[in-house]
């Protein structure tokens, strides 16, 4: 059974996700977050020392959900191309099904907060490692990782953003074509 303390913490994280996704970090005050969560402002500071700590905690929470839902270990015998298609398709489907999480992750990634050692650790390195392995095995271009990530993630982020911001319907066929196009842009 979830304790009262955990329920309040979860309510604060859910409220922060909603507000940050819609209003950004600067447009969302701690008072608004507490009010949306249905708790007193002081309760927020009982759980989190600062707004920055809340932001990092929310990122860790969302990242964990992504890891659980997207980054399950592919079978080693699966060709790298198939691992790429499977993993990046899962990522895009997750973002399409969770637009608030997508907006928050993108906001976090491009904010000063991501430069403070909180962003890519643990299992989330799997995507980067997959690209590095494909490059090492000469399946994709021998290019800097920044380029490989831009080609791999760019179309996925664009579709997820279109869906999150405009409600554009993205079919399974569009997901398949997009992820295949990402691979085609990477391959030698």
């Amino acid at each position: 059974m979830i304790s009262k303390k955990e329920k309040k913490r979860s309510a604060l994280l859910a409220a922060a996700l909603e507000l940050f996704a819609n209003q950004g970090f600067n447009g969302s005050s701690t008072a608004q977050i507490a009010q949306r969560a249905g708790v007193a402002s002081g309760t927020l500071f009982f759980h989190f020392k600062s707004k920055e700590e809340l932001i990092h905690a929310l990122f860790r929470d969302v990242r964990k959900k992504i890891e659980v839902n997207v980054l399950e270990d592919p079978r080693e015998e699966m060709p790298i191309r198939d691992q790429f298609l499977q993993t990046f398709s899962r990522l895009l489907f997750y973002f399409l099904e969770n637009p608030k999480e997508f907006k928050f992750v993108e906001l976090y990634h491009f904010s000063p907060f991501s430069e403070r050692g909180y962003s890519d650790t643990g299992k989330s390195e799997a995507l980067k490692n997959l690209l590095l392995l494909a490059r090492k095995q000469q399946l994709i271009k021998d290019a800097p990782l920044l380029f490989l990530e831009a080609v791999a993630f760019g179309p996925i982020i664009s579709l997820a953003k279109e869906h999150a911001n405009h409600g554009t319907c993205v079919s399974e066929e569009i997901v398949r074509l997009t992820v295949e196009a990402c691979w085609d842009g990477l391959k030698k």
Side-chain angles (χ1 to χ4, degrees):
M1 185 169 176
I2 300 174
S3 70
K4 193 174 183 179
K5 180 180 171 182
E6 272 305 305
K7 283 182 184 177
K8 287 183 181 182
R9 186 177 191 282
S10 293
L12 286 163
L13 289 171
L17 177 63
E18 178 83 27
L19 289 168
F20 292 151
N22 292 324
Q23 299 174 191
F25 296 139
N26 293 334
S28 306
S29 70
T30 55
Q32 288 174 311
I33 294 167
Q35 182 180 22
R36 176 74 55 99
V39 301
S41 290
T43 303
L44 185 144
F45 293 106
F46 172 78
H47 291 277
F48 308 99
K49 292 178 187 168
S50 64
K51 182 177 172 180
E52 183 175 333
E53 185 178 299
L54 169 62
I55 291 167
H56 291 305
L58 180 58
F59 178 77
R60 288 188 299 272
D61 185 62
V62 171
R63 183 185 62 206
K64 184 177 180 180
K65 289 177 187 173
I66 293 170
E67 290 172 353
V68 167
N69 290 287
V70 173
L71 299 176
E72 75 178 42
D73 295 323
R75 297 185 312 269
E76 286 186 26
E77 70 274 4
M78 184 183 285
I80 290 178
R81 177 187 180 274
D82 294 345
Q83 290 180 39
F84 177 91
L85 296 176
Q86 180 183 55
T87 303
F88 279 76
S89 293
R90 282 184 186 150
L91 180 64
L92 180 50
F93 278 122
Y94 183 85
F95 285 152
L96 294 173
E97 292 165 5
N98 300 280
K100 285 183 266 183
E101 283 86 344
F102 165 74
K103 286 177 154 184
F104 172 76
V105 167
E106 185 181 43
L107 180 66
Y108 185 92
H109 179 75
F110 290 106
S111 77
F113 297 113
S114 69
E115 298 174 354
R116 298 187 184 151
Y118 287 94
S119 68
D120 291 327
T121 59
K123 211 171 174 188
S124 60
E125 288 287 303
L127 299 172
K128 180 170 82 171
N129 291 337
L130 185 60
L131 291 171
L132 292 173
L133 181 60
R135 183 177 70 185
K136 182 179 178 184
Q137 292 185 7
Q138 300 180 354
L139 298 171
I140 62 175
K141 293 173 177 61
D142 185 17
L145 182 60
L146 181 62
F147 168 83
L148 299 176
E149 289 175 329
V151 172
F153 288 101
I156 289 168
I157 298 305
S158 179
L159 268 183
K161 189 181 286 190
E162 180 69 25
H163 174 73
N165 292 333
H166 303 292
T168 305
C169 183
V170 179
S171 68
E172 287 185 22
E173 177 71 2
I174 295 293
V175 170
R176 183 186 64 75
L177 289 170
T178 300
V179 175
E180 285 178 358
C182 292
W183 178 261
D184 290 345
L186 291 168
K187 72 181 182 184
K188 283 187 152 191

